[in-house]
Each structure stands twice: as C-alpha cells, then as structure tokens.
C-alpha cells in the first residue's frame, strides 16, 4: 500500500514523487507500506498550510479545542487493539506494550480535554492602586514536531495534542521507522474534527525534512525526541532563527539495589526496565548498580530470569521481547557488545543475534548482561538502545550515587531500598529528571513532567502541565483603572 503526506487538507505525494519502503522488523519480507520521501519544497507547502490556518484555529475557544482532542481519545480507545497490532507490525514491540503505548496516547488526549477547561493564567497584585495585573497563555504559531519510532503513538500524541490545544497549528514529521502509526493518528485527528491545514503530516528523512522545518522562518517552535547528535544539530540551526526548541535526547539510566532491598521486587523491576521494548526506550534500564552484599546472589537471579525471556514476533502473546528496529541498530548493539568484551567486562549471557525458527527473518537479539563493568568503560556511559545491561558492584550508597551520576545523561533513575533515609538521600543527590523509588526506570505517566538533565535535554519538560509552557507564550497584561498616569517604581 502506498501512503501519502497530509498537507493543506489533502493526502498528497511528495513533489519529487520519491518514496521509501517500511518493513516489519520481526520479518523483513513483510512490507508495511511505502511513504513519500519528501523534500524541502514539501516542507514549504506544509508550513504555508499551517500558517494559513493559525488565525482561525488560535481563535477557537480553548475548551472547544479540548473537546476535539477529547474525541481523539474516544477514537483511540475504540480502536486500541487494532492500532496496537499496527504498531507491533511496524516497530516490533510486543502487543502488551503497544497497547500501553496507545493507552498513553488516550491518557494524553483526555488530559488535554480537561486542560482545555483550566487553561490558567495568573493574577497578581500591582504595586500601584487601582491597577490589576494578569497573564494569558498564547499560542506560538506553527509548531514543527519531530517524533521518534519507539513510542509511535504515545510520543506523537505528547507533542501534537498539547501543541493543538494551545492553539498552534502543526507540521508533524514522524520517524521513517514509524510512518504508518503516524498516518493512522493523523486520520484520527481529522475524524475527530481538527480542521484542514491545522494538522500537516510530512514523511521523509530528518536530514532534509527536519532541517527544512528547523530553518523555516515561519516555524516558531521545534519539539524533538531522539539522539544527542541530532538534538545538537537542531539546537544549532533552529537557535540561529531564535526559535523555541524543546529536546529530549535519551539516557543511560541506572537502577540501584541496596543490601536491604526487597529483591523479588528489584528483580521484576530490572527485567522489565532493561529488556522491555528490547531496551529501546530512552528510559530503559541500561545500568544495574548493586551493593556488594547482594551482588552475587542477585546477579544469579537476574541471569536466570533473563535466560527465560521468550523472544519472538510481538504479535504472538506468549512472547515477551520483540526484535530491534533495524539491521543497522542490531549491528550497533553488537558492536557495543564487542567493545564491552574488549574493555574487559564479563559477558555473562547473550551477546548474539537471536535466529531461532522464524526469528531468522527479523532483527532479534539476545538479552545480554555484562558484569564487572567499571564506570569509565564505554558500555558504562554510552547509550546503546538495545537489550544490554551493564552491572556494577559498589561498596555503599555513596559509591552507587557516584556511579549513577557518572554519565553525561540524566533522564531516569531508580533505587530499591526499604530504608527511607537512604531513599531520600538518593532523591536529593541523583542527577536525573525522573527518580523512582522501588520501581524500575520506565513507566512515566502522561500527566507528570517528563525529561532530563545534562545532555538528556535542554531544560524543558514535555508531559503533564509543563508541556503547556513549551507550546505557549506568556502575555502579561496591566490594566489601570485609576484614571491618571501612575508611574511604576516612581509614584508611591
Ligand atoms: C521513552 O523512553 O522513549 O516511561 C519514552 C516510559 C514511557 C515513555 C518512555 N511511558 O517508559
């Protein structure tokens, strides 16, 4: 099937007529579809369309925009199963997880529905008599949204829905690894009543389409989730045009387990955090930091459990872990395994392509665990984005915190302990945007701020109420009803 861009209220080809093909990572013989390989001239059309719609969309009352987005939640809810299957075929993670991914889209839509009736500004006292001061949240204009493939419904919803509720119009570029789910989302936005030109979908390569979005003078804000390298590039080129830029750029998240922890709980946590989504989450647990008293016995249990993970096509409900997204990603993961071995870490399980039965048709990889990892090794600090867990042995909480803080990332973090003093010390000293106590590093809820410190981002938090700070400008208003000139700072 050949899918199209959605620009100016119509489904259209790329002007060049070029296309790319998307395959199923669990079975490379299965083609999901072909999609337009767009260029700069298509971006120009999409931005022109979005710009045209801004005047009318930004004047629709916020609660009315909220109602349309609430309908998006209704449609997603009705079609949850079907959409989860589409996602699993498109990017490989197992059905239970893709259902969760659609649910995160639903939650985001319903949150926006509610937020439409509480789009608060603030009032504050004036220093002068007979004068009121207040603020309004105003839309920015055209929002350029660039989404990754690992949460093909949730992350586009995190961006598109608050951008629209805030009154912006949208040019949305999905990843080339998740064009089909994004197409379905745009169909649903249209069905729910988002007017023509307000939402524009453009497929194609980041280096061309993304760049053109980031440099277009009529785009006011760019929101991007992806790699540090691309984030830097976006910051540079969009910053030059003084655009607002919101970046979420991955992590190297650690789970600490102290001697006093409930080990059954910590075990379930690390297996879910490290191998869920085949390790392809920015929040994935890629480091396990164990206090020495429990190190040996806990590792045995983790290895034992990881060996039992059932690998295969995510459409089969008995499977627990699907493929990696592409051959290129599998090679990258494998390269890191070789690096880890060369650095002297101890490979306890995994480290190979997984090719049993039908899996030889896809990009499967074994759950992989390294012990004896030291904090300066590359596998200790670089994001791998695969099912590879690096394990550290530490003497105490202080050393655990040094290890967890020893990377340039700072997205998610976790500590398992029954000691409230240690938990609070960890909360105070861990450098991360998100910290879990007695829970894994994954599992963020849509109504809380999401994002990280250091190279994980540039200070913004999508999700929750804070995403509305990203997608709005503040207008400050002073109303003087004294009937005379009152000079601030001068007239007492
Ligand atoms: C990501 O890791 O890319 O917290 C997003 C989680 C999900 C979102 C993750 N709710 O794991």
């Amino acid at each position: 099937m050949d899918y199209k861009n959605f620009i100016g209220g119509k489904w259209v080809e790329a002007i060049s007529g070029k296309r790319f093909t998307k395959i199923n990572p669990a079975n490379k013989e299965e083609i999901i579809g072909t999609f337009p390989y767009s260029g700069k001239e298509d971006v120009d059309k999409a931005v022109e369309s979005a710009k045209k719609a801004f005047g009318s969309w930004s004047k629709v009352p916020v609660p009315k925009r909220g109602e349309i987005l609430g309908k998006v939640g209704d449609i997603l809810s009705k079609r949850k199963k079907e959409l989860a299957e589409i996602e699993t075929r498109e990017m490989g993670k197992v059905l239970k997880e893709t259902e969760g991914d659609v649910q995160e889209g639903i939650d985001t839509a319903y949150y926006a529905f509610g937020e439409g009736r509480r789009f608060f500004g603030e009032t504050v006292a004036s220093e002068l008599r007979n004068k009121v001061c207040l603020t309004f949240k105003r839309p920015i204009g055209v929002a350029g949204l660039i989404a990754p493939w690992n949460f093909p419904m949730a992350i586009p919803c995190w961006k598109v829905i608050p951008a629209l509720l805030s009154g912006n119009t949208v040019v949305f570029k999905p990843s080339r690894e998740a064009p089909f789910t994004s197409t379905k989302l745009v169909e649903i936005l249209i069905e729910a009543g988002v007017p023509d030109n307000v939402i524009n979908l453009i497929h194609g390569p980041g280096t061309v389409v993304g760049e053109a979005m980031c440099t277009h003078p009529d785009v006011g804000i760019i929101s991007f989730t992806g790699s540090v390298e691309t984030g830097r590039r976006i910051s540079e080129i969009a910053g030059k045009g003084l655009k607002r830029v919101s970046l979420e750029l991955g992590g190297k998240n650690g789970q600490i387990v102290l001697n006093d922890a409930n080990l059954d709980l910590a075990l379930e946590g690390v297996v879910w955090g490290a191998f869920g989504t085949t390790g392809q989450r920015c929040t994935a647990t890629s480091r396990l930091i164990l206090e020495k008293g429990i190190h040996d016995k806990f590792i045995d249990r983790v290895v034992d459990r990881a060996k039992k993970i059932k690998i295969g096509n995510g459409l089969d409900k008995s499977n627990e872990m699907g493929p990696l997204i592409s051959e290129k990603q599998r090679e990258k993961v494998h390269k890191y395994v070789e690096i880890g071995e060369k650095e002297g870490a101890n490979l306890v399980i995994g480290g190979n392509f997984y090719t049993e039965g039908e899996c030889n048709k896809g990009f499967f990889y074994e759950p992989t665990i390294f012990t004896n990892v030291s904090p300066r090794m590359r596998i200790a600090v670089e994001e791998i984005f695969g099912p590879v867990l690096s394990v550290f042995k530490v003497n105490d909480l202080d050393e655990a915190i040094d290890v967890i803080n020893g990377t340039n990332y700072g997205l998610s973090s976790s500590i398992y302990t029954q000691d409230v003093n240690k938990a609070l010390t960890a909360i105070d000293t861990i450098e991360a945007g998100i910290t879990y106590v007695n829970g894994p590093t994954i599992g963020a809820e849509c109504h809380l701020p999401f994002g990280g410190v250091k190279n994980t981002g540039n200070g913004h938090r999508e999700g929750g109420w804070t995403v509305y700070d990203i997608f709005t400008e503040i207008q400050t208003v002073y109303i003087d009803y004294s009937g005379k000139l009152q000079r601030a700072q001068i007239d007492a």
Side-chain angles (χ1 to χ4, degrees), residues 62-63 65-67 69-70 106-119 157 161-162 164-166 446 468:
V62 190
R65 293 199 293 258
E67 280 169 24
L69 297 166
I106 297 167
D107 297 343
T108 303
Y110 287 145
Y111 184 88
F113 172 64
E115 209 54 17
R117 294 234 168 229
R118 28 166 289 141
F119 211 65
C157 284
I161 288 175
L164 290 177
L165 184 78
S166 302
C446 88
Y468 293 97

Side-chain angles (χ1 to χ4, degrees), residues 104 150-151 155 158 281-283 436 442-444 450:
E104 206 163 332
N150 63 338
F151 282 80
I155 297 183
W158 285 6
R281 297 192 187 213
C282 343
T283 53
Y436 293 90
I442 68 178
F450 183 92

